[in-house]
Amino acid sequence: MNILVAQSGGPSSVINATLSGIIKGYQNNAIPGKLLGSLNGIQGVIDRNIIDLTETFTDSDSLNLLAKTPAMYLGSCRYKLDESNTKDYQQIFYVLTLLDIECFIYIGGNDSMDTIHKLCVYGESIESKIQFIGLPKTIDNDIAVTDHTPGFGSAAKFVSSTILNIAHDAFVYNSPSITLVETMGRNAGWLTAAASLSRNDYFHGPDMIFLPEVEFSMTTFINSIKEKLQQKKNLIIVVSEGIKDSKGQYICQQASKWSVDSFGHTKLTGAAKILESQLKSHFDFRIRSIELNVLQRCYMHMASQTDLDEAQRLGVESIHVALEGLSGIMLAFNRLSTSHYAVDIIPVPLKDVANHEKKIPRSWINDAGNHVQEDCIDYLLPLIQGEVELEYRLGVPKYVDIKHLQ
Amino acid sequence: MNILVAQSGGPSSVINATLSGIIKGYQNNAIPGKLLGSLNGIQGVIDRNIIDLTETFTDSDSLNLLAKTPAMYLGSCRYKLDESNTKDYQQIFYVLTLLDIECFIYIGGNDSMDTIHKLCVYGESIESKIQFIGLPKTIDNDIAVTDHTPGFGSAAKFVSSTILNIAHDAFVYNSPSITLVETMGRNAGWLTAAASLSRNDYFHGPDMIFLPEVEFSMTTFINSIKEKLQQKKNLIIVVSEGIKDSKGQYICQQASKWSVDSFGHTKLTGAAKILESQLKSHFDFRIRSIELNVLQRCYMHMASQTDLDEAQRLGVESIHVALEGLSGIMLAFNRLSTSHYAVDIIPVPLKDVANHEKKIPRSWINDAGNHVQEDCIDYLLPLIQGEVELEYRLGVPKYVDIKHLQ
């Protein structure tokens, strides 16, 4: 059975762990045929930019190194399949047929699940036998049906640990201060909510957390800060890049150039910077903003072992369902228990996944809309457990070679 | 012998390791008396905000936890002693005498060495017997006379590892891109130069590195980018927050509000953001900027074991020189060998240290002024070696309690 794998969407710390799981699963099952990788997602299929994965990763050492390498070994793309343009579909199926591919596995986020779903539907329309399997990954945790997504736990661990480090930094001066921290998260606030996991015996976590799920009001924001300052001198406030005002307009949009990527998403930057400048006109003390930026999605040093293990399991399991002949499905996590955390992996129809965005339920956010409830923290906590041990060479981490992407 | 310790200036990952070394040295020598800590630097002496350190850290577990806690257990201040205002000096010596302090140890950067030097000179003028000892720390590595400063190695390890992570993130798309990364460093480019340590077998490190030591020209910058783009599609460029134009004006100053802290330093932000907006008017592809911000000075996860060990040694050694009766000195590192890296610790006169800034020698920067030479890399490399193992609790690091600072 010849299988083709590709990665798409934004990087994460564990998307290569899923790839390593696929290779492991393929090797363990001693499948006759080839396991191929398309470089730069679906673009690599169109351009016939294909590599042989079984030849590159022949021993467990190289597979382990791959699993602990951030971002995407196969590269990514932001290529949107247009249903009205059948030329792309024809070219993709031409290449898949030419390479004698029986199963195409696509690892990605919401947009990628949409892509693989479209390919599956097109395949059915031309009575193709090729199987299509989607594997979720996104640091945003916004894919529907699955309990959570690989990549999120590691990003959440980065966010929570970083907030704790920032708190230690923020408390050194004996004068008032406000520290604004901006996390990624366009429409879903999962990563922002993960800031709450920074709490411990002496630090209660961020004073406020602002999510895209709740309408943001500048007046309420300023007033609640005034109130908090009566109890303590150093405030730490975490905001999502995607907070919106009552008209549904992004706060960051008020200053930055409005630009749209190829999926029609607004490119966001600077919500915290805008709040910083607003606060500076109200308060006469130290106010600073910190944008966690792309570090959230590539900080392998802070990967969650739970996340990495699950990402790899997903890869291994995809080979099983491929061998079972399944198609048009995504593998999802089904949480069995939170108190004694356990998940199993189940296939779900791609049509239930594609183009749905999972947001934080309103009941998991406090009434004031500026913090999360304990239910949310209970849900998040298991996902950041465990630390990944990295190898080092000359003081920096040793990763798998990515010369082919440069 | 009663000893008082204080910390000052900006936080770092290992300034508490120096404090733990002092406590360890005090305990090991079974010194009769008290080891006290002043909260928020010299401000704590003036306000008599003093804690007993020997009572808090009684076992090696708590001392180890302190050594692995980022930022400053005793807090910091930015209080500038004014030579014309003798009231402050009188109050400080009044409190020191009242507490029967025989030695005052101040851990800090250039400004703190200036403070402790002034106190020492004042002490001599009133024939005080109190000893004054300075211990260096700053992530900027800009203190004179010492080979390097504690805190720098860990910040340098954070910068170099982070650049490697960012490189993995930057190479995923098959289209041109420029990633600008901004590091701290007002007048000295040591931390920016440390970005060069990200290189390995498959990544040659940043394409260009811009330091405050070299005049920055926007025209040359744009032209060299055009040149580089002919060879490769994804550029990674690292700039210091402190890059200046031919008139000596900070690049960041062109957009951000000019504001000055209590030491008369310009507060810097956004050099990379300004370059980003300039590049966007020249190139029509993905250009982004990442400000590493305060993570550079508090990212305990990325601390260098070499740095942490040396910071602790410095603390232990300060007790020895205190017992020897030395005063008016700072303990400095003297590098014995680079190839078989080793340093010893020597006392140097505070007057040779205070108010001198150590910059990167021009000979360690290439002719074009946009990268560092191998000599610089040889100097930097030993400082980032070794990884610090952290304890975790519920997925985030376990640090020492800092409730007293909140």
Side-chain angles (χ1 to χ4, degrees):
Chain A
M1 184 182 212
N2 295 328
I3 296 179
L4 179 67
V5 190
Q7 300 173 322
S8 187
S12 95
S13 290
V14 302
I15 185 166
N16 285 331
T18 299
L19 180 62
S20 79
I22 294 173
I23 302 173
K24 205 176 264 188
Y26 196 83
Q27 289 171 348
N28 288 351
N29 286 282
I31 300 174
K34 285 199 170 225
L35 179 64
L36 303 176
S38 161
L39 292 183
N40 299 109
I42 199 71
Q43 185 80 58
V45 184
I46 294 171
D47 301 342
R48 293 178 62 177
N49 202 356
I50 308 287
I51 61 170
D52 192 325
L53 286 166
T54 32
E55 279 174 10
T56 319
F57 299 97
T58 48
D59 58 285
S60 65
D61 278 358
S62 64
L63 269 178
N64 284 340
L65 199 60
L66 174 64
K68 293 180 180 182
T69 297
M72 299 152 98
Y73 181 77
L74 296 174
S76 181
C77 70
R78 289 225 172 258
Y79 194 85
K80 196 171 172 67
L81 282 182
D82 181 354
E83 271 140 324
S84 65
N85 177 7
T86 50
K87 250 182 76 181
D88 275 351
Y89 291 88
Q90 285 165 354
Q91 170 68 5
I92 289 167
F93 276 83
Y94 169 73
V95 175
L96 293 177
T97 309
L98 199 74
L99 295 170
D100 208 14
I101 299 299
E102 294 162 83
C103 179
F104 183 29
I105 301 176
Y106 212 39
I107 317 169
N110 266 319
D111 293 322
S112 311
M113 293 308 113
D114 179 49
T115 297
I116 191 94
H117 181 236
K118 281 177 180 164
L119 286 177
C120 187
V121 170
Y122 182 86
E124 282 165 8
S125 77
I126 60 163
E127 294 182 352
S128 162
K129 292 260 182 293
I130 301 170
Q131 295 165 240
F132 293 91
I133 295 171
L135 296 183
K137 75 82 220 161
T138 165
I139 64 162
D140 292 331
N141 199 36
D142 61 350
I143 300 183
V145 189
T146 185
D147 177 74
H148 59 279
T149 56
F152 171 67
S154 294
K157 192 180 182 80
F158 173 82
V159 167
S160 52
S161 290
T162 301
I163 297 287
L164 181 56
N165 286 344
I166 288 172
H168 275 258
D169 186 274
F171 295 142
V172 302
Y173 293 113
N174 190 20
S175 51
S177 75
I178 299 173
T179 304
L180 297 151
V181 184
E182 180 177 325
T183 65
M184 283 178 164
R186 194 179 279 117
N187 296 314
W190 296 107
L191 212 43
T192 324
S196 61
L197 305 179
S198 61
R199 71 179 181 185
N200 59 23
D201 299 340
Y202 57 84
F203 173 57
H204 59 49
D207 296 285
M208 292 193 274
I209 294 176
F210 292 97
L211 309 158
E213 282 84 353
V214 180
E215 180 186 310
F216 183 86
S217 150
M218 197 66 82
T219 316
T220 315
F221 175 64
I222 306 278
N223 288 339
S224 47
I225 285 178
K226 283 179 182 162
E227 213 173 281
K228 297 265 177 202
L229 283 171
Q230 302 195 330
Q231 297 144 36
K232 58 196 301 259
K233 63 180 189 297
N234 299 113
L235 301 184
I236 294 173
I237 297 165
V238 184
V239 298
S240 162
E241 61 175 346
I243 50 169
K244 300 176 202 73
D245 65 16
S246 60
K247 290 173 195 145
Q249 294 218 305
Y250 290 116
I251 297 299
C252 63
Q253 189 192 329
Q254 294 172 21
S256 70
K257 200 179 121 190
W258 179 280
S259 63
V260 172
D261 71 13
S262 56
F263 283 100
H265 302 145
T266 309
K267 274 203 185 162
L268 305 181
T269 179
K273 268 268 168 271
I274 287 174
L275 299 188
E276 180 190 340
S277 82
Q278 285 289 319
L279 290 180
K280 278 182 172 164
S281 67
H282 282 83
F283 303 103
D284 191 22
F285 51 74
R286 195 166 55 111
I287 294 158
R288 57 180 185 174
S289 65
I290 302 163
E291 200 185 323
L292 296 184
N293 216 310
V294 299
L295 272 58
Q296 289 162 92
R297 64 185 197 193
C298 65
Y299 225 78
M300 199 65 219
H301 303 74
M302 289 311 305
S304 148
Q305 186 70 53
T306 301
D307 188 28
L308 193 139
D309 289 344
E310 289 180 348
Q312 201 160 32
R313 263 178 75 191
L314 214 55
V316 174
E317 188 59 26
S318 70
I319 296 298
H320 296 153
V321 295
L323 289 172
E324 285 168 18
L326 268 60
S327 185
I329 55 112
M330 180 189 84
L331 290 184
F333 292 126
N334 174 38
R335 190 182 296 216
L336 303 170
S337 167
T338 283
S339 55
H340 298 85
Y341 179 70
V343 290
D344 61 14
I345 293 172
I346 51 166
V348 295
L350 270 171
K351 66 172 165 41
D352 295 349
V353 177
N355 291 317
H356 293 94
E357 248 176 345
K358 190 179 71 173
K359 298 185 183 187
I360 303 182
R362 187 58 184 87
S363 63
W364 283 9
I365 303 169
N366 69 355
D367 289 344
N370 61 19
H371 222 294
V372 294
Q373 304 282 38
E374 287 301 316
D375 282 350
C376 185
I377 293 175
D378 290 344
Y379 161 81
L380 294 168
L381 199 56
L383 310 180
I384 69 159
Q385 301 307 309
E387 290 74 48
V388 175
E389 207 177 313
L390 298 185
E391 272 183 77
Y392 280 78
R393 206 183 145 269
L394 293 178
V396 294
K398 193 180 162 190
Y399 295 139
V400 86
D401 189 328
I402 53 159
K403 228 179 271 138
H404 59 284
L405 293 178
Q406 295 173 59
Chain B
M1 185 182 209
N2 295 327
I3 296 179
L4 180 67
V5 191
Q7 299 172 321
S8 187
S12 95
S13 290
V14 302
I15 184 166
N16 285 331
T18 299
L19 180 61
S20 80
I22 294 173
I23 303 173
K24 204 175 265 188
Y26 196 83
Q27 289 171 348
N28 288 351
N29 286 281
I31 300 174
K34 286 201 170 221
L35 178 65
L36 303 176
S38 162
L39 293 183
N40 299 109
I42 199 71
Q43 185 82 56
V45 184
I46 293 170
D47 301 341
R48 293 177 61 177
N49 202 357
I50 308 287
I51 61 170
D52 192 325
L53 286 166
T54 33
E55 277 174 10
T56 320
F57 299 97
T58 48
D59 58 282
S60 66
D61 278 0
S62 65
L63 269 179
N64 283 339
L65 200 59
L66 174 64
K68 293 179 180 182
T69 298
M72 298 152 99
Y73 181 77
L74 295 173
S76 181
C77 70
R78 291 225 173 256
Y79 194 84
K80 196 170 170 68
L81 282 182
D82 181 353
E83 271 140 325
S84 64
N85 177 8
T86 51
K87 253 181 76 181
D88 275 353
Y89 290 88
Q90 285 166 355
Q91 171 67 6
I92 290 166
F93 275 84
Y94 168 73
V95 175
L96 293 178
T97 308
L98 198 74
L99 295 169
D100 208 12
I101 298 300
E102 292 161 84
C103 179
F104 183 30
I105 302 176
Y106 212 41
I107 317 170
N110 267 318
D111 294 322
S112 311
M113 294 307 113
D114 178 48
T115 298
I116 192 92
H117 181 237
K118 280 177 180 165
L119 286 176
C120 188
V121 170
Y122 181 85
E124 283 166 8
S125 78
I126 59 164
E127 293 181 354
S128 161
K129 293 260 183 292
I130 301 169
Q131 295 164 241
F132 293 91
I133 294 171
L135 296 183
K137 77 80 222 163
T138 165
I139 63 162
D140 292 331
N141 199 35
D142 61 352
I143 299 184
V145 188
T146 185
D147 177 75
H148 59 280
T149 56
F152 171 67
S154 295
K157 192 180 181 82
F158 174 82
V159 168
S160 52
S161 290
T162 302
I163 297 287
L164 180 58
N165 286 343
I166 289 173
H168 275 258
D169 186 274
F171 295 141
V172 302
Y173 292 114
N174 190 22
S175 52
S177 74
I178 298 173
T179 304
L180 296 153
V181 184
E182 179 177 324
T183 65
M184 284 179 165
R186 193 179 280 116
N187 296 314
W190 296 106
L191 212 45
T192 324
S196 61
L197 305 180
S198 60
R199 71 179 181 184
N200 60 22
D201 297 343
Y202 56 84
F203 173 55
H204 58 50
D207 296 286
M208 292 192 274
I209 293 176
F210 292 97
L211 309 159
E213 282 85 353
V214 180
E215 180 186 311
F216 182 86
S217 150
M218 197 66 85
T219 316
T220 314
F221 176 64
I222 306 279
N223 287 339
S224 47
I225 285 178
K226 284 179 182 161
E227 212 173 283
K228 298 265 177 202
L229 282 171
Q230 303 196 329
Q231 297 144 36
K232 58 197 302 258
K233 62 180 190 297
N234 300 114
L235 300 184
I236 294 173
I237 297 166
V238 184
V239 298
S240 162
E241 61 174 346
I243 49 168
K244 299 175 202 78
D245 65 16
S246 60
K247 290 173 196 144
Q249 293 217 307
Y250 289 116
I251 297 300
C252 61
Q253 188 192 329
Q254 294 173 19
S256 70
K257 200 178 119 191
W258 179 279
S259 63
V260 172
D261 72 12
S262 57
F263 284 99
H265 303 146
T266 310
K267 275 201 183 161
L268 305 181
T269 179
K273 269 267 168 274
I274 287 175
L275 299 188
E276 180 190 340
S277 83
Q278 284 290 319
L279 291 180
K280 278 181 171 164
S281 67
H282 282 85
F283 303 102
D284 192 23
F285 50 72
R286 194 167 56 112
I287 294 159
R288 58 182 183 172
S289 64
I290 303 162
E291 200 185 323
L292 296 185
N293 216 308
V294 301
L295 273 57
Q296 291 161 91
R297 64 186 197 193
C298 64
Y299 226 78
M300 199 66 219
H301 303 73
M302 289 310 306
S304 148
Q305 187 69 54
T306 301
D307 188 27
L308 193 139
D309 289 343
E310 288 181 348
Q312 203 160 30
R313 265 178 74 192
L314 215 53
V316 174
E317 188 59 25
S318 70
I319 297 298
H320 296 154
V321 295
L323 290 172
E324 285 169 19
L326 266 61
S327 185
I329 55 111
M330 181 189 86
L331 290 184
F333 292 127
N334 175 38
R335 191 183 292 217
L336 302 170
S337 166
T338 283
S339 55
H340 297 84
Y341 178 70
V343 289
D344 61 13
I345 293 171
I346 51 166
V348 295
L350 270 171
K351 68 172 165 40
D352 296 349
V353 178
N355 291 317
H356 294 95
E357 250 177 343
K358 191 181 69 176
K359 299 186 181 183
I360 303 182
R362 187 59 184 85
S363 62
W364 282 9
I365 304 169
N366 69 355
D367 289 344
N370 61 19
H371 222 294
V372 294
Q373 304 282 37
E374 288 301 316
D375 282 350
C376 185
I377 293 176
D378 290 344
Y379 161 82
L380 294 168
L381 198 56
L383 309 180
I384 69 160
Q385 301 307 310
E387 290 74 48
V388 175
E389 208 177 313
L390 299 184
E391 273 183 76
Y392 280 77
R393 204 182 146 269
L394 294 177
V396 294
K398 192 179 162 193
Y399 295 140
V400 85
D401 189 328
I402 52 159
K403 228 179 270 135
H404 60 284
L405 293 180
Q406 294 173 61

